[in-house]
Amino acid sequence: MKFALFLFGASILGSATTLFATRAMSNTDSFSDTCVAVQDNGFVRTAARVPSVETDFTVAAEKTINAVVSVKTFVTPRMQQRSNDFFVDPFEFFFGPGNGQQRRQQPQQQESKPQQLGLGSGVIITTDGYIVTNNHVIDGAEKVEVTLNDNSTFNAKIIGTDATSDLALLKIEAENLSPIVFGDSDGIKVGEWVLAVGNPFGFTSTVTAGIVSAKARSISQATHGRSMGIESFIQTDAAVNPGNSGGALVNTNGELVGINTAIYSQTGNYAGYSFAIPSVLVKKIVDDIKQYGTVQRAVLGIQFTELTAEMAEEKNITATREGIYVAKVTDRGAAMEAGLKEGDVIIKINGNDVKNNGQMMEQMNKLRPGDVATFTYIRDNKTHTTKVTLKNNQGTTKITKASDVIDLGCTFKKLSAAKKRDLGISNGVEVVGLKAGKFKEAGIKEGFVIVDINNAPVNSQEEVENIYNAIMKSTDTDKVMFITGIYPTGIKKYYAVDLTD
């Protein structure tokens, strides 16, 4: 009897153990098996229980799809085009033989009507209608139209643009919108799942998935030296196509980690990698545009290059094999004042690694003139730190303000053919309505006829404004109009108009 009871108890215990093990092994929602093959030389088959990857993106899609909009741009043709002219699509950065999509543009009718110039995406960032997109999406547009996910359509005002970062801020008159939540692009990791949300090929509210392939990626090498501005992108293999530009790159929580900007492709369509501006930089640039009207950029005052293993060996640098090698220190710059010298290797800014150009530019673009940053660097194979008070491109710590052609303090009158003959010139504009401003400070007087600015001939106020805007948008330290002209008396004059504050 005792033996029978023992067998009965053992069988119950064995059944319970088997049931528990079976249920645990069948729980495939949380675990998956990986096996090592049996070998004859002593290795045995093993099974490891590891957590499976979360691939449910429905929550992230639902959180973001109403925050991403379609952005259409329109322009009115101003002149009849020849039938053999070519039009190059300006709305995507495509590299390789398929640069843009060239197509013959049909002759325009004399009756000019607004025509759609391009299609991109944008991201709602406030409940009252502020939207961020790419600068190249709206560049050159006379009218910008925004369509929400519910098909509501609004005319958008361009609040500000920044060609260097390829970002633009729009505003529509709407309330109670569904803004996106900003995430921390610094915190994302290579290999992490991300979603691209936008309007590729005009297909609205499209979501694609991929992983983060790299961070702080510089792509000027792939573009054969053509700088893309910030040069510190999040690289991903999520499918991004024409129309995705300005759309959202989000993490699995539905938080914005980047603005999709460019793709690397031989055809102009998705066939490789896509690149997004990190959300940390997007937020800083948008805040600058809203608060100051222009982006505040900190200048360190050095010329630099990436440290390579070959360079480290040549310079007898043994403390590090990566970092930013200081090739030259600018006189009276922030770096010189902080004690940095040629030959130093910068390895951290505010505790963040700067191993390459992309990371260096990313950290610098987070800062403003007047900010005090901690730089960690190697000198004589020893680690040092210093505090650097950063400056603007004019060598001061002042916040720069947005300027307008109105700051010149005059308007420009088109010359009649008769007046051109009298003065013996073929082109020019007359300075009229002169008042306090940049021109008067430079010594220009009422009635002066401008023939060219920076060696570019001018014939209208629009051409003067275009030159002015190009100068102000450039990254050059010196922002100057070199003007050649003539007074009604026939005296030829030259002026240099300083456009800096």
Side-chain angles (χ1 to χ4, degrees):
M1 179 63 72
K2 288 182 180 181
F3 182 70
L5 288 174
F6 172 76
L7 290 177
F8 178 73
S11 65
I12 292 176
L13 180 61
S15 298
T17 302
T18 302
L19 179 62
F20 175 79
T22 302
R23 287 183 176 179
M25 293 179 67
S26 65
N27 187 5
T28 56
D29 292 336
S30 302
F31 295 92
S32 58
D33 287 334
T34 58
C35 295
V36 178
V38 175
Q39 300 291 332
D40 294 333
N41 58 1
F43 286 95
V44 295
R45 184 182 300 275
T46 61
R49 309 289 290 165
V50 296
S52 62
V53 178
E54 175 59 55
T55 55
D56 183 0
F57 304 134
T58 57
V59 173
E62 288 170 0
K63 283 183 177 180
T64 58
I65 204 163
N66 289 318
V68 177
V69 302
S70 171
V71 178
K72 293 180 183 178
T73 55
F74 299 85
V75 66
T76 302
R78 285 185 169 81
M79 61 183 68
Q80 189 166 339
Q81 304 289 330
R82 297 187 302 274
S83 60
N84 62 346
D85 282 349
F86 284 94
F87 175 80
V88 180
D89 185 358
F91 294 100
E92 301 292 333
F93 291 138
F94 299 136
F95 319 120
N99 239 3
Q101 293 182 358
Q102 279 196 339
R103 59 183 184 272
R104 292 188 180 275
Q105 179 160 313
Q106 299 301 318
Q108 302 295 333
Q109 300 298 322
Q110 206 66 25
E111 182 83 21
S112 294
K113 295 181 179 180
Q115 294 185 356
Q116 186 171 326
L117 186 61
L119 175 67
S121 303
V123 181
I124 300 170
I125 58 174
T126 66
T127 58
D128 60 348
Y130 280 98
I131 295 168
V132 65
T133 186
N134 282 141
N135 177 64
H136 76 265
V137 169
I138 54 88
D139 188 33
E142 294 176 349
K143 176 185 175 183
V144 180
E145 186 178 277
V146 167
T147 302
L148 307 185
N149 193 42
D150 64 1
N151 290 326
S152 302
T153 301
F154 301 85
N155 289 327
K157 179 182 178 182
I158 299 175
I159 302 300
T161 63
D162 181 51
T164 301
S165 63
D166 194 24
L167 290 173
L169 184 63
L170 310 178
K171 177 72 167 65
I172 61 174
E173 295 304 318
E175 296 179 351
N176 301 319
L177 298 178
S178 301
I180 204 159
V181 175
F182 271 80
D184 180 15
S185 55
D186 286 345
I188 64 170
K189 298 178 180 179
V190 173
E192 184 175 332
W193 281 103
V194 285
L195 279 69
V197 188
N199 306 284
F201 305 117
F203 295 115
T204 58
S205 307
T206 298
V207 180
T208 57
I211 63 167
V212 175
S213 304
K215 294 178 64 177
R217 176 70 79 196
S218 172
I219 56 178
S220 57
Q221 184 176 0
T223 59
H224 308 292
R226 179 160 61 94
S227 174
M228 301 296 290
I230 276 185
E231 288 295 295
S232 181
F233 296 98
I234 298 170
Q235 178 182 326
T236 173
D237 63 355
V240 171
N241 284 293
N244 271 113
S245 280
L249 185 73
V250 301
N251 59 23
T252 53
N253 293 324
E255 299 166 338
L256 184 74
V257 294
I259 294 294
N260 295 313
T261 297
I263 67 174
Y264 183 83
S265 169
Q266 299 297 320
T267 64
N269 299 326
Y270 174 74
Y273 293 102
S274 52
F275 301 88
I277 304 167
S279 61
V280 170
L281 299 186
V282 174
K283 189 175 189 308
K284 187 265 181 184
I285 289 164
V286 167
D287 288 345
D288 280 355
I289 292 174
K290 288 178 70 175
Q291 187 171 352
Y292 308 110
T294 188
V295 178
Q296 307 299 313
R297 288 198 165 84
V299 177
L300 179 57
I302 64 170
Q303 293 179 16
F304 64 87
T305 185
E306 285 185 17
L307 182 68
T308 63
E310 294 80 5
M311 187 186 301
E313 185 174 354
E314 178 187 339
K315 304 287 185 182
N316 194 30
I317 299 171
T318 58
T320 183
R321 284 292 184 269
E322 51 191 2
I324 299 300
Y325 182 82
V326 179
K328 184 179 178 180
V329 179
T330 306
D331 290 343
R332 301 171 62 190
M336 178 175 282
E337 292 180 0
L340 289 173
K341 296 180 180 180
E342 180 180 334
D344 290 345
V345 180
I346 299 170
I347 57 174
K348 290 180 184 290
I349 299 177
N350 287 336
N352 298 303
D353 290 338
V354 283
K355 298 178 181 179
N356 53 48
N357 291 344
Q359 290 181 336
M360 177 70 173
M361 296 181 72
E362 182 173 6
Q363 295 305 318
M364 288 300 299
N365 275 288
K366 295 177 182 178
L367 303 168
R368 297 184 175 96
D371 286 349
V372 178
T374 300
F375 281 69
T376 305
Y377 62 97
I378 302 294
R379 178 186 295 170
D380 297 329
N381 292 314
K382 295 180 181 178
T383 303
H384 304 268
T385 60
T386 186
K387 299 283 187 182
V388 181
T389 301
L390 298 161
K391 300 185 177 184
N392 58 31
N393 60 5
Q394 303 305 315
T396 73
T397 57
K398 293 181 180 178
I399 293 294
T400 56
K401 297 179 180 178
S403 59
D404 191 84
V405 71
I406 197 172
D407 293 339
L408 298 179
C410 64
T411 56
F412 305 94
K413 180 182 176 182
K414 196 170 184 178
L415 292 182
S416 65
K419 192 159 189 175
K420 289 179 184 177
R421 283 196 303 270
D422 291 343
L423 294 174
I425 57 178
S426 58
N427 58 272
V429 291
E430 183 180 355
V431 174
V432 296
L434 187 67
K435 56 184 180 181
K438 299 290 186 182
F439 270 31
K440 195 168 187 177
E441 291 172 4
I444 296 174
K445 295 179 173 59
E446 183 89 12
F448 179 65
V449 174
I450 300 172
V451 176
D452 65 61
I453 302 174
N454 294 359
N455 295 321
V458 291
N459 273 303
S460 66
Q461 168 134 350
E462 183 182 22
E463 290 178 350
V464 176
E465 290 179 358
N466 289 340
I467 293 172
Y468 175 87
N469 291 332
I471 294 171
M472 297 309 294
K473 288 180 179 179
S474 74
T475 56
D476 295 341
T477 300
D478 298 320
K479 299 185 185 298
V480 183
M481 278 185 165
F482 293 105
I483 296 176
T484 303
I486 188 170
Y487 280 101
T489 57
I491 298 175
K492 195 172 186 179
K493 283 284 187 178
Y494 304 90
Y495 294 97
V497 180
D498 185 2
L499 302 181
T500 57
D501 291 334

